[in-house]
Amino acid sequence: MMLAWLKKKWASPHSADSSAAAEARIASERVPVPVGPLALYLAGQVAAAEEATLAQLAIEPDHADGLLVQGLIALDRGHKADSLRVLERAASLHPSNAEIQVAFGQALLIAGRGKASAAAFHRALAVVPGHAMANLNLAKLSLASGQEDDGMKLLQSAVTRDPSLAEAQFHLGNLLRVRGDLDPAEKHYRNAVSLRPDYVDALVNLGSLMKDRGRNEEAVRHLEHALRLKPDIAEAAFNLAMIRVNQRMWGEASHWLQNTLATDPKQADAQYWLGNASMGLGDAVTARKAYQAALRINGNYVQARWGHAMAQLPAVPQSEDEQNNAAGAFGKELDKLKTWFRVHRPSDAYKAVGAQQPYYLAYISQDHRAVLSQYGELCTSLMGTWARKVGVPTPIRNMGSKCKIGIVSAHIHEHSVWRAIVRGWVEHLDPTEFEIHIFHTGTGRDAQTEMAARRATRFYYAEGDWVAWAKVISDARLDVLAYPEIGMDSTTVRLASLRLAPVQLASWGHPITTGLPTMDVFVSAKALEPEGADANYTEELVELPGIGCCYHPFALTPAPIDLTQWGIGNTDRILLCAGTPFKYPPQNDALWVDIAKCCQPCKLVFFRATPETLSALLEARLREKFVEAGLDFDAHVRFIPWLPQANFFALLDRADVYLDSVGFSGFNTAMQAIERCTPIVAWDGQFMRGRFASGILRQLGLDEWIASSMDDYAALVERLCSSSARRDSVRQQIITRRSRLFSDPQAVAAFAQKVTSLGRGI
């Protein structure tokens, strides 16, 4: 503990009874006793130092070095009483020895005698003004009693006197970090680590600071180094977990959270984040257990309570029963949540909103309007309480000549939401009639982001957390606030649960009603909605003409791809299943088996999502279904990596049929199939989210390839597979008709008209 400072300070002893004098006296008397106990101790030769100390004290019981080393060895071994007794005697015998006073002060400090220890450190300073170790220890006492300014001055004095004092550098870094002075804090942490490469606490805090500053890989290096030196540091493991959580690397996050809990099983935060990581991995069972463990530690942990309700909805259910029971289980837990918040009224209740979301509910093909209405009312109630407390102003209409529209999205970059919905708005809303304010709440930034920034009246980016965003949006004094996707990220749902503009609307980036009373309108598309669709929404439904958007083709040249690397032969029929794993519910597994049977030789080609555990869950479930049917899974199914866009286009060109995912269709992938003229078999779902591909085909007059039943679906796929001439005919029809789907501003014109009427209260 005191080795580093003693090495430096004892180079110039402050006692007349120094080790050099003792050694000279011993030599002159020709006594065969080992000399230099302090030198031996400082060299790390503790056993030899102890032997030399005993010999020294046997000759001279009051010897300063001998008493100091004896006290230090006792202190190192945890013998507090012995250490205190020896060092108290040494301090009494040698009051002018600053090093003994400091050692005595530290022994007193360890014994819990803070006032007496401070007196010892002051005695050391009286002997050696500015003594670095004395100032460091007095600084620690000041900080412990909340006297930060005094602590800062003492630490600065210690570092000025002795820059090689790693502990002073470390504590000064801590204090500066707390004060928000991150650059100097980082400098002092680096100094501490440079002076002592094995300084575990400094490594942990430097790694934590690098994490907070977004320098993740450097943070990982420091934190992993600390854990190699001391494997049971819960803080280091937790920080590593948080880095991986932010990177959505759920497997590594789960590993480090379990590491944290092995050391500190009562850490509620680690249990909570283990729940989130487990949901990311598709393991809802483990997630529910982790959330419950967090609540056993802290019953008022609102995010964990919220998370447990959301975890009733598995990403990739392993049975029909699990899928069918999920929505009901979510509804029951939601009722419990409402009751708990009403009874307990926690002051931080708003923190639960958006912590997790019922994202996977949309992938269960049932009517969820009622339960999402309950969910939305709870969200707006909790966020409304916060808004009243902090004084969020009531929005008023802008009286300017132009209609002010705000667009809030985390995906103002190359993304399916941008490509399908937002880009058309940004490109075609008339700047002479609209002020367009874009609030890019995400972190992704690319050429599409820059294009959006150029076209916007004002572009907002990196404004801070959701609280900062709420103020920025409120201060913009908008007429209409549009949320293209609600339910895909936490910031958006928190903001959407507030009333920040007189009129607020949602759209189909996440194609299901929001349930939020703060959303006045849901903007959809006539070609994508069934009859009587109004009943599916808590908002007023607006159906724009056609597919409801101005969608531009990629116009990208396909890049050749070698399919043999995944065991797909030249004679195999390729049936492309391009949906994410959660778009394939277990009740439809038999359909893919039937298609494989009737279209041989074929390969049903699925994709490995990130994280791959989700794809693994789907693959295991499908494999079991194929085995039950007596069909060789490996002969008919392939899971391949996610492909770059140009490679995916080459795969579309090679595919015989694009298979729409049943229950939750894919808009962007279906549009890409049309761009490449790939034949599609579509499913006509009960709700908008299951009708993207079928709506697209109807716009092209290709209704005959829309299935009305599972048997019909399999029969349509077989019909296309059995005739290359039929496939060529469909491709030709797409070629001649596809232009009607692309780059059509008609829907945006209708959107503009509706926004104007809403914004002006017409």
Side-chain angles (χ1 to χ4, degrees), residues 31-104:
V31 177
V33 178
V35 296
L38 185 57
L40 290 168
Y41 176 81
L42 294 177
Q45 301 177 39
V46 177
E50 185 172 27
E51 184 179 346
T53 296
L54 292 173
Q56 184 80 68
L57 293 175
I59 298 168
E60 193 175 353
D62 298 340
H63 191 273
D65 286 11
L67 290 171
L68 177 57
V69 172
Q70 188 177 44
L72 291 175
I73 290 174
L75 200 61
D76 291 343
R77 291 173 176 171
H79 302 159
K80 297 178 186 177
D82 290 344
S83 170
L84 196 56
R85 175 179 52 77
V86 172
L87 291 171
E88 184 174 23
R89 181 167 174 266
S92 176
L93 290 168
H94 307 284
S96 62
N97 188 310
E99 312 309 331
I100 287 177
Q101 293 295 341
V102 170
F104 179 41

Side-chain angles (χ1 to χ4, degrees), residues 447-458:
Q448 298 299 312
T449 315
E450 303 313 317
M451 185 268 277
R454 288 193 302 272
R455 291 181 175 272
T457 308
R458 186 160 180 191

Side-chain angles (χ1 to χ4, degrees), residues 23 93 140 166 238 247 303 334 372 397 407 462 477 487 490 496 509 519 576 639 664 693 715 727 730 738:
E23 289 168 11
L93 290 168
K140 288 156 70 175
F238 185 74
Q247 296 172 329
Q303 296 96 322
L334 196 58
L372 283 175
R397 292 187 186 276
I407 301 170
R477 295 189 62 184
S490 58
M519 287 298 110
L576 196 54
F639 276 78
F664 197 117
R727 293 196 300 275
V730 172
R738 63 183 173 179

Side-chain angles (χ1 to χ4, degrees), residues 201-417:
D201 289 344
L203 286 165
V204 171
N205 286 13
L206 177 58
S208 175
L209 179 59
M210 293 300 95
K211 173 184 75 73
D212 294 345
R213 305 196 85 178
R215 284 139 68 178
N216 288 331
E217 294 317 306
E218 184 182 357
V220 168
R221 287 199 305 274
H222 295 309
L223 294 168
E224 288 185 344
H225 185 193
L227 285 164
R228 283 192 295 272
L229 293 167
K230 189 179 179 187
D232 61 347
I233 314 172
E235 183 184 353
F238 185 74
N239 275 305
L240 279 169
M242 291 300 96
I243 290 170
R244 298 316 186 197
V245 162
N246 291 335
Q247 296 172 329
R248 302 180 70 81
M249 297 171 64
W250 302 119
E252 285 194 43
S254 177
H255 165 77
W256 288 117
L257 289 164
Q258 290 174 16
N259 183 296
T260 302
L261 291 165
T263 301
D264 183 7
K266 294 297 183 182
Q267 189 178 142
D269 282 346
Q271 293 285 9
Y272 166 70
W273 283 106
L274 180 59
N276 289 349
S278 299
M279 283 301 290
L281 292 169
D283 186 354
V285 174
T286 297
R288 292 194 289 269
K289 290 178 181 176
Y291 291 135
Q292 288 170 334
L295 290 169
R296 285 194 294 272
I297 299 166
N298 177 7
N300 292 317
Y301 202 146
V302 294
Q303 296 96 322
R305 196 168 291 280
W306 192 271
H308 184 260
M310 306 302 146
Q312 306 304 310
L313 303 168
V316 185
Q318 291 303 287
S319 69
E320 290 188 42
D321 284 346
E322 185 182 14
Q323 172 98 342
N324 294 335
N325 295 335
F330 170 66
K332 289 177 182 177
E333 289 299 320
L334 196 58
D335 286 339
K336 293 179 186 177
L337 262 184
K338 290 167 60 180
T339 300
W340 188 86
F341 279 113
R342 185 174 63 250
V343 171
H344 292 85
R345 298 184 180 277
S347 59
D348 62 347
Y350 66 92
K351 292 181 179 178
V353 178
Q356 301 85 20
Q357 299 171 75
Y359 180 75
Y360 296 117
L361 189 67
Y363 296 91
I364 302 173
S365 189
Q366 299 171 11
D367 182 359
H368 303 305
R369 179 185 176 190
V371 72
L372 283 175
S373 178
Q374 294 180 57
Y375 164 77
E377 287 170 2
L378 181 57
C379 289
T380 54
S381 172
L382 299 180
M383 291 299 294
T385 300
W386 172 83
R388 288 188 293 274
K389 184 177 180 180
V390 302
V392 175
T394 301
I396 57 175
R397 292 187 186 276
N398 163 55
M399 300 305 293
S401 59
K402 297 180 183 180
C403 180
K404 293 178 70 174
I405 180 172
I407 301 170
V408 182
S409 175
H411 304 298
I412 309 295
H413 57 88
E414 186 56 67
H415 183 275
S416 58
V417 171

Side-chain angles (χ1 to χ4, degrees), residues 9-37:
K9 294 301 173 187
W10 278 84
S12 303
H14 300 289
S15 170
D17 193 13
S18 68
S19 59
E23 289 168 11
R25 187 165 54 254
I26 293 167
S28 68
E29 296 172 0
R30 299 181 181 280
V31 177
V33 178
V35 296

Side-chain angles (χ1 to χ4, degrees), residues 317 323 363 581-589 592 621 662-664:
Q323 172 98 342
Y363 296 91
F582 32 85
K583 287 188 177 181
Y584 297 95
Q587 58 264 37
N588 298 337
D589 289 351
W592 315 116
R621 202 186 70 213
V662 176
F664 197 117

